[in-house]
Amino acid sequence: LTTGAVKFTDDMPIPSLYGYPVVTTCATGKITRIDVSHAECADGVKVVITAHDVPGVNDAGFAPGEEPLFLTEGDQIQAPGQQVALVVAKTYRQAKKAAGLVKVEVSGSNVGAILTLDDAIAKDSRFPDTDAVVGERESVEAAMKRATNCVRGETYVIGQHAFPMEKQA
């Protein structure tokens, strides 16, 4: 291994195409227009995939209807980083460059955006119908009274890393 004679999978060129996502850059708003025409004509680009290209249900959430795979015109943005398109090209750099050519127009960008956990708590912000997905729960207070050990404090998590198809992948 230390001689360099062994070839690892990562060292072998694999004939493939590369994808680069186009994602929302604001926290709220309504997508009014998506223009992929310049990206489709860019050097090395094979295809630009949008919601219109998804066969069947355009859904990527754990629960049905939870999150679309790609947002489309008329959709409301719920968070920065939601996927709008995927540019597929011969090289990674070509895909990334062409993704920058996709034009996404948004009305009401960041209007009413909740940007911190404190904002969400103050506004009692919840995703719609989450109780139907989670099911029955007991109150936090009742569970804390039954707990053998109880640790109190606060923590902040900046990102969510539980989604199997990360938006930045």
Side-chain angles (χ1 to χ4, degrees), residues 13-115:
I14 298 171
S16 63
L17 296 173
Y18 296 82
Y20 198 88
V22 177
V23 298
T24 58
T25 57
C26 55
T28 62
K30 182 178 182 179
I31 296 179
T32 57
R33 185 169 173 263
I34 301 169
D35 180 2
V36 299
S37 60
H38 293 290
E40 289 175 322
C41 298
D43 188 39
V45 171
K46 293 295 186 180
V47 67
V48 179
I49 301 168
T50 66
H52 301 293
D53 301 305
V54 176
V57 180
N58 178 33
D59 189 33
F62 290 116
E66 181 183 47
E67 184 173 358
L69 179 59
F70 296 109
L71 294 180
T72 191
E73 292 168 352
D75 283 347
Q76 292 290 331
I77 297 169
Q78 295 180 338
Q82 286 186 278
Q83 296 168 147
V84 175
L86 179 70
V87 177
V88 180
K90 292 179 184 177
T91 70
Y92 171 81
R93 288 178 188 219
Q94 289 171 330
K96 183 176 180 179
K97 184 176 180 180
L101 299 175
V102 174
K103 302 295 180 215
V104 180
E105 293 179 13
V106 176
S107 67
S109 178
N110 287 326
V111 172
I114 296 173
L115 302 175

XYZ file of all heavy atoms in Angstrom, residues 13-115:
744
model
N -10.142 6.531 -13.203
C -11.126 7.362 -13.913
C -12.348 6.524 -14.289
O -12.213 5.407 -14.786
C -10.373 7.850 -15.148
C -9.238 6.908 -15.318
C -8.938 6.325 -13.966
N -13.494 7.052 -14.010
C -14.740 6.355 -14.310
C -15.518 7.204 -15.309
O -15.764 8.387 -15.047
C -15.573 6.146 -13.028
C -14.799 5.282 -12.037
C -16.923 5.514 -13.358
C -15.438 5.197 -10.673
N -15.873 6.640 -16.443
C -16.651 7.433 -17.401
C -18.028 7.757 -16.800
O -18.802 6.853 -16.502
C -16.774 6.522 -18.619
C -16.392 5.161 -18.172
C -15.630 5.290 -16.886
N -18.253 9.027 -16.559
C -19.512 9.420 -15.939
C -19.823 10.875 -16.251
O -19.007 11.593 -16.815
C -19.439 9.226 -14.423
O -18.440 10.062 -13.874
N -21.000 11.283 -15.858
C -21.406 12.672 -15.951
C -21.438 13.243 -14.538
O -21.428 12.503 -13.560
C -22.783 12.782 -16.608
C -22.866 12.311 -18.049
C -24.318 12.318 -18.530
C -21.996 13.175 -18.954
N -21.506 14.551 -14.439
C -21.475 15.220 -13.151
C -22.689 16.127 -13.010
O -23.117 16.755 -13.974
C -20.192 16.052 -13.007
C -18.957 15.191 -13.020
C -18.415 14.755 -14.226
C -18.359 14.787 -11.839
C -17.298 13.949 -14.251
C -17.238 13.984 -11.851
C -16.712 13.557 -13.055
O -15.610 12.745 -13.067
N -23.232 16.185 -11.802
C -24.381 17.036 -11.552
C -24.050 18.128 -10.557
O -23.198 17.944 -9.681
N -24.706 19.270 -10.714
C -24.558 20.366 -9.765
C -25.944 20.977 -9.546
O -26.621 21.356 -10.496
C -23.586 21.428 -10.289
C -23.079 22.316 -9.181
C -21.944 21.961 -8.459
C -23.749 23.481 -8.837
C -21.479 22.755 -7.420
C -23.293 24.273 -7.798
C -22.162 23.905 -7.095
O -21.710 24.686 -6.050
N -26.383 21.057 -8.282
C -27.736 21.550 -8.017
C -27.848 23.068 -8.090
O -26.915 23.792 -7.757
C -28.006 21.066 -6.593
C -26.654 21.004 -5.960
C -25.699 20.622 -7.060
N -29.011 23.522 -8.496
C -29.384 24.930 -8.417
C -30.348 25.007 -7.238
O -31.364 24.301 -7.227
C -30.086 25.407 -9.706
C -30.539 26.857 -9.568
C -29.171 25.219 -10.906
N -30.013 25.825 -6.247
C -30.820 25.873 -5.025
C -31.273 27.303 -4.720
O -30.682 28.272 -5.194
C -30.042 25.295 -3.817
C -29.697 23.829 -4.038
C -28.790 26.103 -3.525
N -32.306 27.398 -3.911
C -32.799 28.701 -3.496
C -31.770 29.364 -2.586
O -31.078 28.692 -1.825
C -34.148 28.587 -2.752
O -33.990 27.730 -1.613
C -35.226 28.031 -3.667
N -31.708 30.685 -2.679
C -30.735 31.428 -1.871
C -31.408 32.294 -0.815
O -30.724 32.970 -0.059
C -29.859 32.321 -2.773
O -30.714 33.186 -3.523
C -29.020 31.472 -3.722
N -32.742 32.293 -0.778
C -33.460 33.066 0.231
C -34.292 32.117 1.092
O -34.497 30.957 0.736
C -34.340 34.130 -0.426
S -35.490 33.486 -1.637
N -34.769 32.621 2.223
C -35.488 31.783 3.180
C -36.981 31.669 2.888
O -37.607 30.674 3.242
C -35.287 32.330 4.594
N -37.553 32.694 2.273
C -38.974 32.673 1.935
C -39.174 33.373 0.595
O -38.277 34.061 0.112
C -39.835 33.411 2.986
O -39.443 34.784 3.016
C -39.700 32.787 4.362
N -40.346 33.221 0.041
C -40.694 33.877 -1.219
C -41.447 32.920 -2.119
O -41.653 31.753 -1.775
N -41.850 33.429 -3.259
C -42.569 32.620 -4.240
C -41.786 32.650 -5.541
O -41.441 33.718 -6.045
C -43.969 33.181 -4.451
C -44.813 32.385 -5.421
C -46.202 32.980 -5.528
C -47.065 32.160 -6.474
N -48.427 32.716 -6.562
N -41.511 31.478 -6.090
C -40.786 31.402 -7.357
C -41.736 31.828 -8.469
O -42.795 31.234 -8.652
C -40.231 29.991 -7.611
C -39.196 29.647 -6.541
C -39.625 29.891 -9.010
C -38.598 28.276 -6.655
N -41.339 32.864 -9.195
C -42.192 33.379 -10.276
C -41.701 32.956 -11.655
O -42.483 32.895 -12.601
C -42.283 34.917 -10.216
O -40.962 35.461 -10.296
C -42.965 35.368 -8.935
N -40.408 32.651 -11.755
C -39.867 32.272 -13.069
C -38.576 31.488 -12.897
O -37.741 31.830 -12.070
C -39.603 33.533 -13.877
C -39.164 33.288 -15.296
C -39.198 34.605 -16.099
N -38.617 34.418 -17.407
C -37.354 34.708 -17.717
N -36.561 35.232 -16.825
N -36.898 34.501 -18.935
N -38.426 30.450 -13.693
C -37.179 29.675 -13.762
C -36.782 29.623 -15.231
O -37.550 29.144 -16.067
C -37.350 28.243 -13.212
C -37.810 28.273 -11.756
C -36.045 27.464 -13.352
C -38.249 26.921 -11.228
N -35.575 30.102 -15.530
C -35.098 30.105 -16.919
C -33.806 29.296 -16.986
O -32.776 29.703 -16.456
C -34.851 31.537 -17.383
C -34.350 31.619 -18.828
O -34.232 30.564 -19.498
O -34.051 32.742 -19.277
N -33.877 28.136 -17.622
C -32.715 27.255 -17.735
C -32.079 27.339 -19.131
O -31.119 26.612 -19.415
C -33.086 25.785 -17.411
C -33.608 25.658 -15.992
C -34.091 25.225 -18.405
N -32.582 28.205 -19.996
C -32.156 28.228 -21.399
C -30.652 28.479 -21.569
O -30.012 27.830 -22.409
C -32.960 29.250 -22.197
O -32.786 30.551 -21.673
N -30.077 29.393 -20.822
C -28.640 29.669 -20.955
C -27.802 28.482 -20.457
O -26.773 28.154 -21.051
C -28.253 30.943 -20.209
C -28.846 32.174 -20.819
N -28.448 32.678 -22.035
C -29.833 32.992 -20.388
C -29.150 33.751 -22.322
N -30.012 33.963 -21.334
N -28.259 27.847 -19.391
C -27.541 26.687 -18.856
C -27.588 25.515 -19.845
O -26.599 24.801 -20.024
C -28.124 26.266 -17.511
N -28.719 25.326 -20.489
C -28.856 24.222 -21.454
C -27.898 24.367 -22.628
O -27.490 23.361 -23.208
C -30.296 24.158 -21.971
C -31.280 23.670 -20.941
C -32.717 23.725 -21.430
O -33.087 24.687 -22.142
O -33.476 22.799 -21.087
N -27.525 25.592 -22.968
C -26.621 25.848 -24.102
C -25.158 25.919 -23.686
O -24.276 26.078 -24.540
C -26.997 27.154 -24.781
S -28.647 27.158 -25.485
N -24.882 25.809 -22.411
C -23.515 25.956 -21.918
C -22.644 24.773 -22.332
O -23.132 23.655 -22.565
C -23.510 26.108 -20.402
N -21.353 25.020 -22.394
C -20.371 24.022 -22.798
C -20.438 22.780 -21.914
O -20.393 22.878 -20.689
C -18.967 24.642 -22.726
C -17.901 23.731 -23.309
O -18.177 23.078 -24.345
O -16.808 23.669 -22.725
N -20.563 21.622 -22.531
C -20.519 20.345 -21.832
C -21.820 19.893 -21.205
O -21.922 18.762 -20.723
N -22.830 20.739 -21.184
C -24.088 20.391 -20.514
C -24.868 19.365 -21.339
O -25.060 19.515 -22.540
C -24.950 21.650 -20.256
C -26.344 21.267 -19.763
C -24.259 22.551 -19.245
N -25.295 18.301 -20.670
C -26.098 17.255 -21.299
C -27.585 17.504 -21.094
O -28.386 17.281 -21.989
C -25.723 15.876 -20.731
C -24.325 15.440 -21.085
C -24.214 15.235 -22.572
C -22.878 14.653 -22.962
N -22.782 14.463 -24.409
N -27.954 17.944 -19.872
C -29.362 18.181 -19.560
C -29.467 19.033 -18.301
O -28.573 19.010 -17.455
C -30.129 16.839 -19.377
C -29.662 16.096 -18.144
C -31.636 17.047 -19.351
N -30.551 19.787 -18.222
C -30.900 20.497 -16.994
C -32.234 19.909 -16.540
O -33.227 19.982 -17.258
C -31.016 22.016 -17.203
C -31.412 22.701 -15.903
C -29.705 22.593 -17.734
N -32.237 19.298 -15.377
C -33.417 18.599 -14.866
C -34.169 19.523 -13.912
O -33.576 20.118 -13.020
C -33.009 17.302 -14.142
C -32.244 16.387 -15.093
C -34.234 16.594 -13.565
C -31.560 15.219 -14.413
N -35.484 19.629 -14.110
C -36.347 20.418 -13.229
C -37.527 19.548 -12.792
O -37.628 18.375 -13.185
C -36.878 21.678 -13.941
O -37.750 21.274 -14.997
C -35.739 22.532 -14.478
N -38.443 20.124 -12.041
C -39.628 19.397 -11.573
C -40.428 18.821 -12.733
O -41.030 17.755 -12.610
C -40.509 20.321 -10.740
N -40.404 19.496 -13.876
C -41.171 19.026 -15.039
C -40.624 17.715 -15.605
O -41.320 17.023 -16.349
C -41.188 20.098 -16.128
C -41.782 21.392 -15.659
N -43.109 21.539 -15.317
C -41.214 22.609 -15.437
C -43.345 22.771 -14.926
N -42.208 23.445 -14.990
N -39.390 17.376 -15.251
C -38.765 16.147 -15.754
C -38.936 14.952 -14.815
O -38.534 13.845 -15.147
C -37.275 16.391 -15.972
C -37.023 17.514 -16.959
O -37.544 17.431 -18.085
O -36.330 18.483 -16.586
N -39.503 15.184 -13.651
C -39.649 14.113 -12.659
C -40.870 13.265 -13.002
O -41.990 13.776 -13.010
C -39.797 14.691 -11.231
C -40.043 13.580 -10.216
C -38.561 15.496 -10.855
N -40.664 11.975 -13.287
C -41.821 11.115 -13.537
C -42.511 10.792 -12.211
O -41.858 10.608 -11.187
C -41.202 9.861 -14.158
C -39.803 9.836 -13.650
C -39.402 11.271 -13.407
N -43.796 10.777 -12.202
C -44.505 10.474 -10.957
C -44.546 11.676 -10.032
O -44.605 12.814 -10.469
N -44.483 11.399 -8.741
C -44.627 12.439 -7.728
C -43.285 13.131 -7.495
O -42.268 12.484 -7.274
C -45.143 11.825 -6.403
C -45.303 12.899 -5.342
C -46.479 11.136 -6.636
N -43.289 14.436 -7.532
C -42.102 15.262 -7.303
C -41.918 15.429 -5.794
O -42.210 16.468 -5.230
C -42.293 16.620 -7.995
C -41.133 17.552 -7.754
O -39.998 17.133 -7.627
N -41.433 18.836 -7.671
N -41.450 14.375 -5.122
C -41.402 14.367 -3.664
C -40.118 13.713 -3.174
O -39.715 12.670 -3.676
C -42.615 13.604 -3.132
C -42.772 13.732 -1.632
O -42.415 14.793 -1.083
O -43.255 12.773 -1.009
N -39.480 14.351 -2.196
C -38.246 13.804 -1.641
C -38.286 13.716 -0.126
O -37.276 13.470 0.512
C -37.056 14.674 -2.060
N -39.435 13.930 0.480
C -39.537 13.933 1.937
C -39.676 12.544 2.520
O -39.930 11.566 1.808
N -39.526 12.473 3.837
C -39.728 11.202 4.533
C -41.201 10.828 4.546
O -41.567 9.677 4.458
C -39.208 11.288 5.971
C -37.717 11.359 6.064
C -37.086 12.476 6.575
C -36.935 10.304 5.620
C -35.708 12.534 6.653
C -35.565 10.359 5.693
C -34.940 11.476 6.215
N -42.053 11.839 4.684
C -43.497 11.627 4.663
C -44.033 12.178 3.338
O -43.539 13.188 2.843
C -44.150 12.344 5.831
N -45.032 11.523 2.751
C -45.573 11.982 1.473
C -45.991 13.455 1.528
O -46.654 13.892 2.459
C -46.779 11.072 1.251
C -46.478 9.846 2.043
C -45.691 10.320 3.238
N -45.569 14.215 0.525
C -45.922 15.617 0.439
C -45.103 16.540 1.330
O -45.346 17.740 1.371
N -44.141 15.997 2.037
C -43.364 16.797 2.989
C -42.442 17.806 2.302
O -42.354 18.959 2.715
C -42.543 15.868 3.876
C -41.711 16.572 4.914
C -40.872 15.611 5.722
O -40.214 14.726 5.138
O -40.863 15.751 6.948
N -41.739 17.372 1.268
C -40.800 18.264 0.593
C -40.647 17.855 -0.864
O -40.356 16.704 -1.167
C -39.436 18.215 1.277
C -38.445 19.184 0.692
C -37.140 19.275 1.477
O -36.987 18.620 2.500
O -36.274 20.016 1.006
N -40.823 18.811 -1.782
C -40.647 18.467 -3.196
C -39.172 18.228 -3.525
O -38.289 18.825 -2.912
C -41.173 19.697 -3.933
C -41.058 20.811 -2.955
C -41.201 20.210 -1.588
N -38.915 17.367 -4.485
C -37.549 17.149 -4.953
C -37.026 18.429 -5.586
O -35.927 18.878 -5.294
C -37.503 15.989 -5.951
C -36.146 15.658 -6.547
C -35.149 15.292 -5.455
C -36.269 14.520 -7.548
N -37.832 19.037 -6.470
C -37.500 20.313 -7.100
C -38.667 21.271 -6.938
O -39.809 20.899 -7.200
C -37.236 20.138 -8.607
C -36.047 19.295 -8.947
C -36.220 18.032 -9.497
C -34.759 19.762 -8.732
C -35.127 17.251 -9.833
C -33.653 18.978 -9.062
C -33.842 17.729 -9.605
N -38.381 22.512 -6.544
C -39.405 23.554 -6.556
C -39.634 23.979 -7.997
O -38.751 23.845 -8.843
C -38.950 24.761 -5.738
C -38.773 24.561 -4.237
C -38.317 25.855 -3.584
C -40.048 24.059 -3.587
N -40.809 24.498 -8.272
C -41.119 24.982 -9.610
C -41.822 26.329 -9.517
O -42.094 26.817 -8.423
C -41.955 23.947 -10.394
O -42.012 24.331 -11.757
C -43.342 23.793 -9.824
N -42.112 26.911 -10.649
C -42.788 28.204 -10.677
C -44.112 28.120 -9.931
O -44.866 27.175 -10.103
C -42.993 28.654 -12.117
C -41.674 28.974 -12.798
C -41.794 29.145 -14.308
O -42.866 28.870 -14.866
O -40.792 29.541 -14.921
N -44.341 29.103 -9.070
C -45.559 29.129 -8.263
C -45.368 28.549 -6.870
O -46.213 28.746 -6.002
N -44.280 27.833 -6.645
C -44.037 27.228 -5.329
C -43.531 28.254 -4.321
O -42.827 29.200 -4.668
C -43.003 26.098 -5.428
C -43.573 24.819 -6.009
O -44.816 24.715 -6.119
O -42.785 23.923 -6.335
N -43.889 28.028 -3.068
C -43.405 28.848 -1.963
C -42.086 28.267 -1.451
O -41.962 27.054 -1.267
C -44.424 28.868 -0.815
C -45.716 29.589 -1.147
C -45.517 31.093 -1.271
O -44.654 31.693 -0.647
N -46.339 31.706 -2.114
N -41.120 29.119 -1.212
C -39.834 28.708 -0.657
C -39.984 28.633 0.856
O -40.508 29.557 1.482
C -38.727 29.706 -1.054
C -38.559 29.722 -2.574
C -37.415 29.373 -0.346
C -37.696 30.858 -3.089
N -39.528 27.536 1.450
C -39.615 27.356 2.901
C -38.276 27.523 3.584
O -38.213 27.716 4.792
C -40.169 25.972 3.232
C -41.589 25.782 2.785
C -42.113 24.407 3.133
O -41.355 23.460 3.348
N -43.419 24.273 3.197
N -37.182 27.412 2.813
C -35.850 27.489 3.416
C -34.814 27.722 2.325
O -35.033 27.326 1.175
C -35.516 26.184 4.147
N -33.691 28.340 2.675
C -32.616 28.439 1.678
C -32.074 27.048 1.381
O -32.076 26.171 2.243
C -31.559 29.306 2.362
C -31.967 29.455 3.774
C -33.358 28.961 3.931
N -31.649 26.843 0.151
C -31.052 25.557 -0.216
C -32.030 24.549 -0.775
O -31.657 23.400 -1.010
N -33.279 24.928 -1.016
C -34.205 23.991 -1.640
C -33.857 23.865 -3.119
O -33.544 24.847 -3.787
C -35.649 24.462 -1.469
C -36.161 24.271 -0.047
C -37.629 24.615 0.044
O -37.986 25.777 0.156
N -38.470 23.591 -0.032
N -33.926 22.664 -3.637
C -33.511 22.398 -5.012
C -34.520 22.917 -6.023
O -35.719 22.723 -5.866
C -33.316 20.889 -5.204
C -32.208 20.359 -4.341
C -32.170 18.851 -4.266
O -31.108 18.315 -4.151
N -33.280 18.161 -4.316
N -33.994 23.568 -7.066
C -34.808 24.083 -8.156
C -34.511 23.302 -9.439
O -35.402 23.028 -10.227
C -34.536 25.590 -8.363
C -35.281 26.127 -9.563
C -34.896 26.370 -7.106
N -33.246 22.938 -9.626
C -32.837 22.210 -10.834
C -31.543 21.461 -10.549
O -30.871 21.702 -9.538
C -32.646 23.185 -11.993
N -31.197 20.578 -11.471
C -29.922 19.865 -11.424
C -29.310 19.940 -12.820
O -29.921 19.499 -13.796
C -30.102 18.401 -11.020
C -28.818 17.570 -10.969
C -27.940 18.015 -9.803
C -29.138 16.093 -10.864
N -28.124 20.531 -12.902
C -27.424 20.636 -14.183
C -26.491 19.439 -14.302
O -25.692 19.170 -13.397
C -26.617 21.951 -14.265
C -25.848 22.014 -15.574
C -27.541 23.152 -14.121
N -26.597 18.709 -15.402
C -25.761 17.530 -15.646
C -24.847 17.839 -16.832
O -25.318 18.231 -17.901
C -26.619 16.286 -15.937
C -25.738 15.071 -16.184
C -27.596 16.025 -14.791
N -23.534 17.663 -16.610
C -22.562 18.008 -17.654
C -21.430 16.978 -17.695
O -21.355 16.085 -16.858
C -22.003 19.406 -17.399
N -20.534 17.159 -18.656
C -19.401 16.238 -18.838
C -18.396 16.326 -17.693
O -17.747 15.334 -17.369
C -18.687 16.522 -20.156
C -19.509 16.185 -21.381
C -18.717 16.518 -22.639
C -19.524 16.292 -23.882
N -18.786 16.670 -25.097
N -18.234 17.512 -17.110
C -17.294 17.674 -15.992
C -17.989 18.399 -14.840
O -19.006 19.082 -15.047
C -16.046 18.491 -16.392
O -16.429 19.862 -16.599
C -15.370 17.927 -17.641
N -17.415 18.271 -13.672
C -17.944 18.953 -12.491
C -17.920 20.468 -12.691
O -18.887 21.160 -12.398
C -17.120 18.556 -11.258
C -17.436 19.369 -10.030
C -18.549 19.070 -9.249
C -16.631 20.435 -9.656
C -18.854 19.820 -8.128
C -16.928 21.194 -8.535
C -18.037 20.875 -7.771
O -18.334 21.629 -6.664
N -16.813 20.973 -13.200
C -16.682 22.422 -13.389
C -17.696 22.960 -14.398
O -18.232 24.049 -14.235
C -15.264 22.781 -13.815
C -14.283 22.638 -12.674
C -12.877 22.949 -13.103
N -11.976 22.613 -12.008
C -10.934 23.339 -11.682
N -10.628 24.418 -12.352
N -10.166 22.974 -10.686
N -17.945 22.191 -15.454
C -18.946 22.614 -16.439
C -20.345 22.653 -15.802
O -21.109 23.586 -16.040
C -18.939 21.677 -17.652
C -17.716 21.829 -18.534
C -17.636 20.748 -19.606
O -18.093 19.615 -19.427
N -17.026 21.093 -20.733
N -20.648 21.639 -15.010
C -21.959 21.589 -14.358
C -22.115 22.753 -13.385
O -23.161 23.423 -13.355
C -22.136 20.256 -13.629
N -21.074 23.029 -12.607
C -21.128 24.117 -11.627
C -21.268 25.473 -12.329
O -22.076 26.319 -11.936
C -19.888 24.100 -10.748
C -19.906 25.149 -9.660
C -18.702 25.033 -8.755
C -18.747 26.097 -7.656
N -17.607 26.002 -6.745
N -20.496 25.675 -13.365
C -20.543 26.944 -14.099
C -21.927 27.151 -14.725
O -22.506 28.240 -14.662
C -19.458 26.976 -15.170
C -19.365 28.292 -15.909
C -18.204 28.292 -16.880
C -18.106 29.619 -17.622
N -16.995 29.646 -18.570
N -22.462 26.114 -15.337
C -23.773 26.216 -15.983
C -24.893 26.413 -14.956
O -25.872 27.111 -15.232
C -24.042 24.969 -16.832
N -24.740 25.826 -13.778
C -25.748 26.021 -12.726
C -25.876 27.501 -12.381
O -26.975 27.991 -12.077
C -25.393 25.206 -11.489
N -24.778 28.224 -12.460
C -24.794 29.660 -12.209
C -25.527 30.452 -13.276
O -25.838 31.626 -13.081
N -25.811 29.822 -14.399
C -26.524 30.485 -15.493
C -28.044 30.332 -15.394
O -28.778 30.985 -16.132
C -26.041 29.938 -16.843
C -24.558 30.128 -17.155
C -24.201 29.423 -18.463
C -24.214 31.608 -17.213
N -28.498 29.457 -14.506
C -29.941 29.286 -14.323
C -30.476 30.502 -13.575
O -29.940 30.894 -12.545
C -30.265 27.990 -13.539
C -31.755 27.901 -13.234
C -29.800 26.766 -14.317
N -31.509 31.111 -14.121
C -32.114 32.305 -13.522
C -33.379 31.907 -12.764
O -34.292 31.324 -13.353
C -32.465 33.345 -14.589
C -31.281 33.784 -15.423
C -30.248 34.513 -14.578
C -29.076 34.948 -15.432
N -27.816 34.904 -14.743
N -33.405 32.213 -11.478
C -34.570 31.941 -10.639
C -35.073 33.279 -10.103
O -34.356 33.952 -9.358
C -34.220 30.992 -9.473
C -35.456 30.721 -8.619
C -33.631 29.685 -9.990
N -36.279 33.659 -10.506
C -36.861 34.912 -10.032
C -37.830 34.605 -8.899
O -38.625 33.663 -8.981
C -37.576 35.637 -11.169
C -36.625 36.122 -12.249
C -37.337 36.812 -13.401
O -38.544 37.140 -13.275
O -36.682 37.001 -14.450
N -37.732 35.422 -7.830
C -38.517 35.200 -6.621
C -39.205 36.501 -6.225
O -38.565 37.549 -6.186
C -37.605 34.714 -5.468
C -38.390 34.567 -4.173
C -36.923 33.400 -5.825
N -40.491 36.416 -5.923
C -41.184 37.591 -5.381
C -41.285 37.418 -3.861
O -41.432 36.306 -3.366
C -42.576 37.746 -5.991
O -43.425 36.691 -5.583
N -41.172 38.522 -3.149
C -41.278 38.470 -1.685
C -40.111 37.784 -1.023
O -40.277 37.138 0.023
N -38.940 37.927 -1.590
C -37.751 37.270 -1.042
C -37.512 37.669 0.415
O -37.417 38.849 0.737
C -36.535 37.643 -1.891
O -35.370 37.065 -1.367
N -37.452 36.691 1.287
C -37.175 36.827 2.725
C -38.236 37.594 3.510
O -38.013 37.922 4.671
C -35.789 37.438 2.966
C -34.683 36.456 2.672
O -34.833 35.261 2.896
N -33.585 36.944 2.149
N -39.394 37.840 2.926
C -40.477 38.506 3.664
C -41.015 37.528 4.714
O -41.363 36.402 4.406
C -41.613 38.960 2.715
C -42.806 39.469 3.505
C -41.101 40.011 1.752
N -41.034 37.970 5.963
C -41.523 37.118 7.054
C -40.605 35.972 7.407
O -41.015 35.032 8.090
N -39.376 36.031 6.962
C -38.444 34.930 7.211
C -38.163 34.766 8.698
O -37.993 35.744 9.419
C -37.134 35.174 6.462
N -38.125 33.536 9.137
C -37.738 33.192 10.500
C -36.337 32.611 10.384
O -36.151 31.539 9.807
C -38.722 32.181 11.112
C -40.106 32.827 11.217
C -38.225 31.702 12.462
C -41.187 31.870 11.644
N -35.364 33.344 10.921
C -33.969 32.985 10.677
C -33.252 32.381 11.874
O -32.143 31.882 11.733
C -33.210 34.220 10.184
C -33.793 34.852 8.905
C -33.056 36.131 8.565
C -33.750 33.875 7.754
